[in-house]
Amino acid sequence: MSDDPQQHFGGTDEPKGDSGEGMSPDGAAMMRLIERLYPICRSITGNGVRQTLKILQEYAPLDITEVATGTKVLDWQVPREWNVRQAYIARLDGTKVVDFATHNLHVVNYSTPIDQTVGIDELRRHLHVVADRPDWIPYRTSYYSENWGFCLSQRQFGELTDPAYRVVIDSSLEDGHLTYGELLVPGRCDETVLISTHICHPSLANDNLSGIAVALALARHVSSIAPRYSYRFLFIPGTIGSITWLALNEHKIDAIRYGLVLSCLGDRGTVTYKQSRRGDAAIDRIVSHVLKHDGGDGRVVPFVPFGYDERQYCSPGYDLPVGCLMRSEPGKYPEYHTSADNPDLLSGSSLAHSAAILRQIIGVIEGNAITRNNSPKGEPQLGRRGLYRVLGGQSSVENAQMALLWVLNLSDGRHSLLDIAERAEMPFAAIRAAADSLCATDLLSLVDA
Amino acid sequence: MSDDPQQHFGGTDEPKGDSGEGMSPDGAAMMRLIERLYPICRSITGNGVRQTLKILQEYAPLDITEVATGTKVLDWQVPREWNVRQAYIARLDGTKVVDFATHNLHVVNYSTPIDQTVGIDELRRHLHVVADRPDWIPYRTSYYSENWGFCLSQRQFGELTDPAYRVVIDSSLEDGHLTYGELLVPGRCDETVLISTHICHPSLANDNLSGIAVALALARHVSSIAPRYSYRFLFIPGTIGSITWLALNEHKIDAIRYGLVLSCLGDRGTVTYKQSRRGDAAIDRIVSHVLKHDGGDGRVVPFVPFGYDERQYCSPGYDLPVGCLMRSEPGKYPEYHTSADNPDLLSGSSLAHSAAILRQIIGVIEGNAITRNNSPKGEPQLGRRGLYRVLGGQSSVENAQMALLWVLNLSDGRHSLLDIAERAEMPFAAIRAAADSLCATDLLSLVDA
Amino acid sequence: MSDDPQQHFGGTDEPKGDSGEGMSPDGAAMMRLIERLYPICRSITGNGVRQTLKILQEYAPLDITEVATGTKVLDWQVPREWNVRQAYIARLDGTKVVDFATHNLHVVNYSTPIDQTVGIDELRRHLHVVADRPDWIPYRTSYYSENWGFCLSQRQFGELTDPAYRVVIDSSLEDGHLTYGELLVPGRCDETVLISTHICHPSLANDNLSGIAVALALARHVSSIAPRYSYRFLFIPGTIGSITWLALNEHKIDAIRYGLVLSCLGDRGTVTYKQSRRGDAAIDRIVSHVLKHDGGDGRVVPFVPFGYDERQYCSPGYDLPVGCLMRSEPGKYPEYHTSADNPDLLSGSSLAHSAAILRQIIGVIEGNAITRNNSPKGEPQLGRRGLYRVLGGQSSVENAQMALLWVLNLSDGRHSLLDIAERAEMPFAAIRAAADSLCATDLLSLVDA
């Protein structure tokens, strides 16, 4: 099938940076998935989430879990399930002036049902706009406080000049379930890498859909490499979803060695890594290393207890080694949580670059090891093993040979290959390649970490 | 009484910075005390010190201790007591040309008695002037080497053209006492905060009197707050006074948890904190934190074994956590140790600001604690406890809510509220307020430090 | 004898910097030795090395060791001995166009013998030139791969236009010995300072001869001071020489407490110190300290496993505290490994300055100690011991008095005099002098380190 939606998904092309739109197959496939998911009205519960997860199952064998309303999860309870069929503001003559059918951001997420005529003054107390952007619609929620409301552009707001309007929100807020997806790619050991992304935002592209697309591509990549570590991918509603998963899956938590929350990975900004609460966890060092050698415009920012689900993973009772990988940070790009965070904001090249960075991170996680130099006194004679140039006297030595010398010098059982790469200021892949060359002789052994 | 000298002393207005002379009542009261003490001729012993301490007793119930000449104190002995009745240089016709009665800096402190006619060449070997400042009189001492001398302006020096002068110093250097003042404000525990200031300088305002005035204001403030810690205020002669107190009060030393030497706190310079010998003691962190959040023009400088009585408290046999709070540093402002260090050099605003900084420091000392999050797995649901905004989706969160999140995230029994304030880069008071809000629910407990 | 080659060698004049050529006797003596050694054709084995070591024996009682070809040394074997009698490229009419007799860099070091007519195309595959420098001859070696070759200037290369040439290398590559020199200056204890320099380069002045001359001067200096530590000087072929010494002298290695490889110490560049593998060894701190107080234009660079014999001493099986002292770094000055690295590149002032830096380093090694303040509570009364100025009140204190205060303040049995010098930001010599003054009273004692 020439238009197989899965074609190229999770591919391993390595496009760099953001310039030019000669889009890689990888980036194009992610864009197609995002455009497909964009129109769906998601929330922290409800049919939009179910529909989204079903589509993801076309690409990877996710398990879908339903958790009943009222289930006690840590300090919280699973809320009632919210669904909305239609919602609008109409003139008293019936003309709809704001309509959920045209954009699902128009209704405040988790609005209670209403069908009545409302005076303009009261109505305005339920309306939300974006300051300074006449055409953008904001995204607002009221999950834990019963209320109703509409979000609209300032232009629409200005046109509401009648004394009263009919307001209809045909929603339901009833006992049901919270739904999430989970995919385990088993490795050669039980130690786990956690990849978590939220799936609760309605028509928002960078915040939500980009993370879903990149996580899915990464899941497919990891499935293709017969990994050492096990990889657990979570597709969950923000906050209440991670709280629910943590509450119901205590037995899976201890095995987590590395973790990343993925979000906002498709815009044209440079990559930003937010450290775990620990700040010096292995994942923090690994991502910093990869960004440093990826052209150097990636940024590392410290943990703060605000953001995405790293807030839960990094709460003091868990303190998991989980950071957050983004391009632009939430709240720091103007389109954030507005109708302007749509597929036009994204770049296939950015998506592909984000996925490539993640593959490099996985490369370090998978490839890191402690090594031992079996000939630790003096330098071994590399020349007779075909590992050293023949003619002496030149001013400098090639990178590949420097990598050999660094690995030999620091393989004392106390340094990992990542330690060596950091001290040598060389990319991990170059150090790992040197270690592989040396392991092919009698000179180097891998030590169990 | 409308002109009660105590009125406003130790008040808690919080004027900021140095600009404008719309003086706070606090600053004005400190200026009045300084002007009252300024004319007295103090030294490391003698009646000027006694008179000064008596005046301080009008404001706070100081204990006054007299230690006899010859008492062995550490490596030293309490010296003979020095008092001076009159001192002058006169022409042979009796006209006084330099007179102690006009300025008590004119006589070298601890000068031995003399009454004789002296040739101009010999006289000049006993005279001291300030280079480059024709009208300023320097301050010189000769405590531990018997000598006599006069300090005078260059202008006066130039007028000494006669072949001989009559020199009179009617001083006494006799067995007597060293006198110091001490005030203990008891707290709920015996652990002690030491506040030390020197009282041995004659008519010098910034170096000496400003420290006395601010220390006294702080003592009155601390008395008003029913403190957790005990506060010990020392009003002592420099060097020999702290050595004497340390020698005679060994049993009080172990309880000292924090300490500050106060000096030069009234000039118009920015605040300078000199760290304790340890450099990383709690007091060092606390003062740095307070200065960082006080507009950021305060400076922190490392310990050096030269300066005020921190030299003694930080000697290796004690190594107490005692730093030194100043505005301009001794020796680094031109008026230092000259007649130009007089009340005109001071600003009531600076005095009030110095006192306000100290109240903030006390606020951290008193308010710091280890806290424990009682719901450490995931974030607790703040909304249902009235601690979180209702509407979701905005780009950012208010400072007060960020403070709540930081306290919850780091209250793992290993972080103090100061640790949290430092990591959050928020003022201690904001973090403490958040902790108080959370303690009022079931979510947070104080742990004994 | 007025022209005694040893005169002034190892003298202790302390010329500073590089400016002016009013050469010190010390620098001039080193220059004379370098000029004497320059014409000799050295290699990693052979008669040139023997001849060099014999000349050094005129200055200091080196032991010369011969190690037989084939001896197993760590991962290597001692190679066959190489000697060359003559070597040239001649036109077929017999005119020599490139001749070893005019410059010993012309033959690739360790070239195998050859005497045959060679076509121009084949000949060119055995020729080496310096890019961009028409008159310089490069230095090339082929120790461990049998080959022959010539090095020549681009100008000479351009003149090789005949279709064929006669090529003669009258060399021998036969079982023999590797030769090295060793000098132990015994100290009061067995703990050892290792000074190592390579002696295997032919006519190269900065890279090789400068290190030999400075090491020899240092050996003579150390012999004159009845040192606390023992000093072991190695004059060895690069790489294989240090490997051989390490393999045959295991019993001497454990005693090494400090070490320096010396090279490139005569050019006009500023001093560069390459740290040991550890990066925080005592030698690293000491050299950094000395350079910081030597005008501050010295540089400290981190260890990399490429360079001189520190590669072997810092291999993981030894991990010795050995750094490398240089002026310009190998490979980073244009004349490196070319005929332009000749005595004209050197400055007697630079050589003398390098030697002076090393004497300062030895001064710290010899003079460092842990000290204990015997009057640790409060400051002791320095005045009554004649160690403190008489008149008080001045703004500042002299350096010598600050040094006394620092030593007293930090002599708590946990700080060395080097620690104190670093914290005081004063030169080690000033701190040591203060400690000596205090030890002459009852106030300070040396503690065994």
Side-chain angles (χ1 to χ4, degrees):
Chain A
M1 190 168 69
S2 73
D3 202 34
D4 177 1
Q6 295 200 23
Q7 199 182 3
H8 302 302
F9 213 105
T12 53
D13 315 272
E14 302 282 345
K16 275 260 180 170
D18 206 26
S19 62
E21 293 284 312
M23 195 181 292
S24 68
D26 195 17
M30 286 188 273
M31 278 303 294
R32 279 196 302 274
L33 174 62
I34 287 166
E35 278 156 3
R36 190 173 169 200
L37 297 173
Y38 180 71
I40 300 168
C41 181
R42 280 164 293 271
S43 180
I44 53 173
T45 61
N47 292 325
V49 170
R50 279 187 198 94
Q51 187 182 350
T52 299
L53 292 172
K54 287 247 164 60
I55 291 173
L56 300 186
Q57 282 182 322
E58 297 176 21
Y59 299 81
L62 274 64
D63 291 325
I64 295 176
T65 299
E66 300 271 357
V67 183
T69 295
T71 305
K72 184 101 179 87
V73 285
L74 304 179
D75 187 58
W76 305 60
Q77 288 191 24
V78 172
R80 287 179 296 171
E81 182 174 329
W82 183 71
N83 288 290
V84 56
R85 279 160 297 273
Q86 62 168 337
Y88 56 83
I89 303 170
R91 294 210 195 93
L92 297 189
D93 68 3
T95 320
K96 293 177 181 172
V97 292
V98 174
D99 190 352
F100 174 74
T102 65
H103 206 300
N104 61 39
L105 292 184
H106 274 317
V107 71
V108 167
N109 213 293
Y110 257 69
S111 280
T112 47
I114 185 171
D115 181 352
Q116 64 181 73
T117 299
V118 174
I120 184 66
D121 290 341
E122 154 133 37
L123 176 58
R124 282 184 179 145
R125 287 195 287 277
H126 292 265
L127 300 182
H128 307 278
V129 298
V130 181
D132 304 328
R133 301 286 185 167
D135 293 314
W136 294 4
I137 308 162
Y139 163 57
R140 290 289 178 273
T141 67
S142 189
Y143 301 137
Y144 300 104
S145 168
E146 291 199 13
N147 205 344
W148 62 267
F150 284 85
C151 299
L152 66 171
S153 70
Q154 285 196 44
R155 196 175 312 275
Q156 289 172 305
F157 185 90
E159 289 165 0
L160 293 177
T161 52
D162 291 0
Y165 288 88
R166 181 166 173 221
V167 171
V168 172
I169 300 179
D170 178 12
S171 66
S172 61
L173 200 52
E174 293 169 354
D175 282 359
H177 294 84
L178 175 148
T179 314
Y180 67 79
E182 184 169 0
L183 172 65
L184 179 71
V185 179
R188 299 195 299 281
C189 73
D190 292 336
E191 301 192 332
T192 304
V193 180
L194 178 74
I195 305 291
S196 175
T197 193
H198 61 289
I199 56 167
C200 53
H201 288 40
S203 293
L204 292 165
N206 196 38
D207 182 4
N208 199 171
L209 296 180
S210 70
I212 293 172
V214 173
L216 197 65
L218 191 67
R220 291 166 60 93
H221 167 70
V222 167
S223 301
S224 74
I225 63 169
R228 170 160 67 134
Y229 286 93
S230 295
Y231 288 79
R232 187 175 302 281
F233 293 84
L234 300 182
F235 298 85
I236 52 175
T239 303
I240 188 64
S242 50
I243 284 169
T244 299
W245 186 86
L246 286 163
L248 304 182
N249 293 279
E250 280 273 351
H251 58 292
K252 299 176 183 171
I253 295 173
D254 277 355
I256 295 171
R257 293 289 169 276
Y258 307 89
L260 287 172
V261 169
L262 304 185
S263 182
C264 299
L265 285 166
D267 69 88
R268 289 167 170 81
T270 54
V271 174
T272 304
Y273 174 66
K274 174 182 166 181
Q275 294 174 322
S276 78
R277 178 183 187 266
R278 301 181 191 176
D280 61 354
I283 186 67
D284 300 319
R285 289 181 55 207
I286 290 169
V287 183
S288 293
H289 177 81
V290 167
L291 294 184
K292 181 177 169 186
H293 290 278
D294 183 64
D297 59 355
R299 292 185 322 125
V300 176
V301 299
F303 177 78
V304 296
F306 190 67
Y308 292 106
D309 287 312
E310 68 277 9
R311 292 163 70 161
Q312 311 309 325
Y313 303 128
C314 295
S315 59
Y318 298 114
D319 194 22
L320 294 175
V322 176
C324 179
L325 194 76
M326 305 163 275
R327 301 190 77 90
S328 291
E329 292 178 80
K332 298 197 176 167
Y333 59 99
E335 300 88 352
Y336 174 78
H337 278 193
T338 76
S339 55
D341 183 353
N342 60 44
D344 292 344
L345 183 67
L346 308 189
S347 144
S349 297
S350 290
L351 289 162
H353 177 242
S354 299
I357 291 285
L358 281 158
R359 285 194 298 272
Q360 286 184 59
I361 293 166
I362 299 302
V364 181
I365 290 173
E366 291 285 316
N368 198 19
I370 306 276
T371 45
R372 185 189 300 118
N373 178 342
N374 297 322
S375 180
K377 294 191 170 184
E379 290 176 359
Q381 196 177 9
L382 296 175
R384 83 168 190 259
R385 294 171 179 92
L387 292 173
Y388 211 70
R389 66 183 178 200
V390 163
L391 187 74
Q394 293 97 330
S395 299
S396 60
V397 70
E398 293 152 24
N399 281 346
Q401 301 218 333
M402 274 310 292
L404 293 172
L405 295 175
W406 273 115
V407 171
L408 287 168
N409 189 266
L410 293 176
S411 288
D412 54 8
R414 293 180 295 115
H415 293 88
S416 72
L417 293 176
L418 178 60
D419 293 330
I420 299 174
E422 287 186 343
R423 178 140 175 207
E425 301 192 331
M426 300 181 83
F428 179 83
I431 292 296
R432 174 74 208 199
D436 289 342
S437 293
L438 290 166
C439 283
T441 71
D442 55 331
L443 291 175
L444 199 77
S445 306
L446 292 181
V447 179
D448 273 2
Chain B
M1 189 166 72
S2 73
D3 202 35
D4 177 1
Q6 295 199 26
Q7 198 182 5
H8 301 303
F9 213 105
T12 54
D13 315 272
E14 302 280 346
K16 276 257 181 176
D18 206 26
S19 60
E21 293 284 315
M23 196 181 293
S24 68
D26 195 16
M30 285 188 272
M31 278 303 295
R32 279 196 301 275
L33 174 62
I34 287 167
E35 279 157 1
R36 189 171 170 204
L37 296 173
Y38 179 71
I40 300 169
C41 181
R42 280 164 293 271
S43 181
I44 54 172
T45 61
N47 292 325
V49 170
R50 280 186 198 96
Q51 187 182 349
T52 299
L53 293 171
K54 288 244 164 64
I55 291 173
L56 300 186
Q57 282 182 324
E58 297 176 22
Y59 299 80
L62 273 63
D63 290 323
I64 295 177
T65 300
E66 300 271 357
V67 182
T69 296
T71 305
K72 184 100 178 86
V73 286
L74 304 179
D75 187 58
W76 305 60
Q77 288 191 23
V78 172
R80 286 180 294 170
E81 182 174 330
W82 183 71
N83 288 290
V84 56
R85 280 160 295 275
Q86 62 169 336
Y88 57 83
I89 302 170
R91 293 209 197 93
L92 297 189
D93 68 3
T95 319
K96 293 178 181 171
V97 291
V98 175
D99 191 352
F100 173 75
T102 65
H103 206 299
N104 62 38
L105 291 185
H106 274 317
V107 71
V108 169
N109 212 295
Y110 258 68
S111 280
T112 48
I114 184 171
D115 181 353
Q116 64 183 74
T117 300
V118 174
I120 183 67
D121 289 343
E122 154 134 36
L123 177 59
R124 282 184 178 145
R125 287 195 289 274
H126 291 266
L127 301 182
H128 307 279
V129 298
V130 180
D132 304 328
R133 300 287 184 167
D135 293 314
W136 292 6
I137 307 163
Y139 163 57
R140 290 291 178 273
T141 65
S142 189
Y143 301 137
Y144 299 104
S145 168
E146 291 198 12
N147 205 342
W148 62 268
F150 283 86
C151 299
L152 66 171
S153 70
Q154 285 196 42
R155 197 175 311 277
Q156 288 172 306
F157 185 89
E159 290 164 359
L160 294 176
T161 52
D162 292 358
Y165 288 88
R166 183 169 172 220
V167 172
V168 173
I169 301 180
D170 179 12
S171 65
S172 61
L173 200 52
E174 293 168 356
D175 282 359
H177 293 84
L178 177 148
T179 313
Y180 68 79
E182 183 169 0
L183 173 66
L184 179 71
V185 180
R188 301 195 298 282
C189 74
D190 292 334
E191 301 192 331
T192 304
V193 180
L194 178 73
I195 305 291
S196 175
T197 193
H198 61 288
I199 56 167
C200 54
H201 287 42
S203 293
L204 293 166
N206 196 39
D207 182 4
N208 199 170
L209 296 180
S210 70
I212 293 172
V214 173
L216 197 64
L218 192 68
R220 290 165 62 93
H221 167 70
V222 167
S223 301
S224 75
I225 62 169
R228 170 159 67 134
Y229 286 94
S230 295
Y231 288 78
R232 187 175 301 281
F233 292 84
L234 299 183
F235 298 85
I236 51 175
T239 303
I240 188 64
S242 51
I243 284 170
T244 298
W245 186 86
L246 286 163
L248 303 182
N249 294 279
E250 280 274 351
H251 58 293
K252 299 176 182 170
I253 294 173
D254 277 355
I256 296 170
R257 293 290 169 275
Y258 306 89
L260 286 173
V261 169
L262 304 186
S263 182
C264 299
L265 285 166
D267 68 89
R268 289 166 170 83
T270 54
V271 174
T272 304
Y273 174 66
K274 174 181 164 182
Q275 294 175 321
S276 77
R277 178 181 186 266
R278 301 181 190 175
D280 61 355
I283 186 67
D284 300 319
R285 289 181 54 207
I286 289 169
V287 182
S288 293
H289 177 81
V290 167
L291 293 184
K292 181 177 168 185
H293 290 278
D294 182 63
D297 58 354
R299 293 186 321 126
V300 176
V301 298
F303 176 79
V304 296
F306 190 68
Y308 292 107
D309 286 313
E310 69 277 9
R311 293 164 68 163
Q312 310 310 325
Y313 303 127
C314 295
S315 59
Y318 298 113
D319 194 22
L320 294 174
V322 176
C324 179
L325 195 75
M326 304 163 275
R327 300 187 80 88
S328 292
E329 292 178 80
K332 297 196 176 168
Y333 58 99
E335 300 85 356
Y336 173 78
H337 279 192
T338 75
S339 54
D341 184 353
N342 60 45
D344 292 344
L345 183 68
L346 308 189
S347 143
S349 298
S350 289
L351 289 163
H353 177 241
S354 298
I357 291 285
L358 280 159
R359 285 194 297 272
Q360 287 184 60
I361 293 166
I362 299 302
V364 182
I365 291 174
E366 291 285 316
N368 197 19
I370 305 276
T371 45
R372 187 190 300 118
N373 178 342
N374 297 322
S375 181
K377 292 189 170 185
E379 289 176 0
Q381 196 178 8
L382 296 176
R384 81 166 191 261
R385 296 172 178 91
L387 293 173
Y388 210 70
R389 64 181 180 203
V390 162
L391 188 74
Q394 294 96 330
S395 299
S396 59
V397 71
E398 293 152 24
N399 280 346
Q401 301 218 334
M402 273 310 294
L404 293 173
L405 295 175
W406 273 115
V407 170
L408 287 168
N409 188 267
L410 293 177
S411 289
D412 53 8
R414 292 181 295 115
H415 293 90
S416 71
L417 293 176
L418 178 60
D419 292 331
I420 299 173
E422 286 186 344
R423 180 140 175 208
E425 300 191 332
M426 300 181 84
F428 179 84
I431 293 296
R432 175 73 208 199
D436 289 342
S437 294
L438 291 165
C439 282
T441 71
D442 55 331
L443 290 175
L444 198 76
S445 306
L446 293 180
V447 179
D448 275 1
Chain C
M1 188 168 72
S2 73
D3 203 34
D4 177 1
Q6 295 199 26
Q7 198 183 4
H8 302 303
F9 213 105
T12 54
D13 314 272
E14 301 282 344
K16 276 256 180 175
D18 205 26
S19 61
E21 292 285 313
M23 195 182 293
S24 68
D26 195 18
M30 286 188 273
M31 278 302 294
R32 279 197 300 276
L33 174 63
I34 287 167
E35 279 156 3
R36 189 171 169 203
L37 296 173
Y38 180 70
I40 300 170
C41 181
R42 278 163 294 270
S43 180
I44 53 173
T45 61
N47 291 326
V49 171
R50 280 187 198 95
Q51 186 182 350
T52 299
L53 292 172
K54 287 248 163 61
I55 290 172
L56 299 186
Q57 282 182 324
E58 297 176 22
Y59 300 78
L62 273 65
D63 291 323
I64 295 177
T65 300
E66 300 270 356
V67 183
T69 296
T71 305
K72 185 99 177 85
V73 286
L74 305 179
D75 188 57
W76 305 60
Q77 287 193 23
V78 172
R80 286 180 295 170
E81 182 174 329
W82 183 71
N83 288 289
V84 56
R85 278 158 298 272
Q86 61 168 334
Y88 57 84
I89 302 171
R91 293 208 196 94
L92 297 188
D93 69 2
T95 318
K96 293 177 181 173
V97 291
V98 175
D99 190 352
F100 173 74
T102 64
H103 206 300
N104 62 39
L105 291 184
H106 274 318
V107 70
V108 168
N109 212 294
Y110 258 69
S111 280
T112 47
I114 184 171
D115 181 352
Q116 63 182 72
T117 299
V118 174
I120 185 67
D121 289 344
E122 155 135 36
L123 176 59
R124 282 183 179 146
R125 286 196 288 277
H126 291 265
L127 300 182
H128 307 279
V129 298
V130 181
D132 303 327
R133 300 288 183 165
D135 292 315
W136 293 4
I137 308 163
Y139 163 57
R140 290 290 179 273
T141 65
S142 189
Y143 300 136
Y144 301 103
S145 168
E146 291 199 12
N147 204 343
W148 62 268
F150 283 85
C151 299
L152 66 171
S153 70
Q154 284 196 45
R155 197 175 312 274
Q156 289 173 306
F157 185 90
E159 289 165 0
L160 293 176
T161 53
D162 291 1
Y165 288 87
R166 183 171 172 216
V167 171
V168 172
I169 299 179
D170 178 12
S171 65
S172 61
L173 200 53
E174 295 168 355
D175 283 359
H177 294 83
L178 176 148
T179 313
Y180 68 78
E182 184 168 1
L183 172 66
L184 179 70
V185 180
R188 297 195 300 281
C189 74
D190 292 335
E191 301 191 332
T192 303
V193 180
L194 179 73
I195 305 292
S196 176
T197 193
H198 61 290
I199 55 167
C200 54
H201 287 42
S203 293
L204 293 165
N206 197 38
D207 182 4
N208 198 171
L209 296 180
S210 71
I212 293 172
V214 173
L216 197 64
L218 192 66
R220 290 166 61 96
H221 167 70
V222 167
S223 300
S224 74
I225 61 168
R228 171 159 67 135
Y229 286 94
S230 296
Y231 288 76
R232 188 175 301 282
F233 292 84
L234 299 183
F235 298 85
I236 52 175
T239 304
I240 188 65
S242 50
I243 284 170
T244 298
W245 186 85
L246 287 163
L248 304 183
N249 293 280
E250 280 274 350
H251 58 292
K252 299 176 183 171
I253 294 173
D254 277 355
I256 296 171
R257 294 288 169 275
Y258 307 88
L260 287 171
V261 168
L262 305 186
S263 182
C264 298
L265 285 166
D267 68 88
R268 289 167 170 82
T270 54
V271 174
T272 304
Y273 174 67
K274 174 182 166 182
Q275 294 175 322
S276 77
R277 178 183 187 265
R278 301 181 190 175
D280 61 356
I283 186 68
D284 300 320
R285 290 181 55 208
I286 290 170
V287 182
S288 293
H289 176 81
V290 167
L291 293 184
K292 181 176 169 188
H293 290 278
D294 182 62
D297 58 354
R299 294 187 318 128
V300 176
V301 299
F303 177 79
V304 296
F306 190 67
Y308 292 107
D309 287 312
E310 68 277 9
R311 294 163 69 163
Q312 311 310 324
Y313 303 126
C314 295
S315 59
Y318 298 114
D319 195 21
L320 294 175
V322 176
C324 179
L325 195 76
M326 303 164 275
R327 300 188 78 90
S328 292
E329 293 179 80
K332 297 195 176 168
Y333 59 101
E335 300 86 354
Y336 174 77
H337 279 191
T338 76
S339 55
D341 184 352
N342 60 46
D344 291 345
L345 183 66
L346 307 190
S347 142
S349 298
S350 290
L351 289 163
H353 177 242
S354 299
I357 291 285
L358 281 158
R359 285 194 298 271
Q360 287 184 60
I361 293 167
I362 299 303
V364 182
I365 290 174
E366 291 286 316
N368 197 20
I370 306 277
T371 44
R372 186 190 301 119
N373 178 342
N374 296 322
S375 181
K377 292 191 170 185
E379 290 176 1
Q381 195 177 10
L382 296 176
R384 82 167 189 260
R385 294 172 179 91
L387 293 173
Y388 210 70
R389 65 183 181 202
V390 162
L391 187 74
Q394 293 96 330
S395 300
S396 59
V397 71
E398 294 151 25
N399 281 346
Q401 301 219 334
M402 274 310 293
L404 292 173
L405 295 174
W406 273 115
V407 170
L408 287 169
N409 189 267
L410 293 176
S411 288
D412 55 7
R414 292 180 295 114
H415 293 88
S416 71
L417 293 176
L418 178 61
D419 293 331
I420 299 173
E422 287 185 345
R423 180 140 175 209
E425 300 192 332
M426 300 182 83
F428 179 83
I431 293 297
R432 174 74 208 198
D436 289 342
S437 293
L438 291 166
C439 282
T441 71
D442 55 329
L443 291 174
L444 199 76
S445 306
L446 292 181
V447 180
D448 275 0

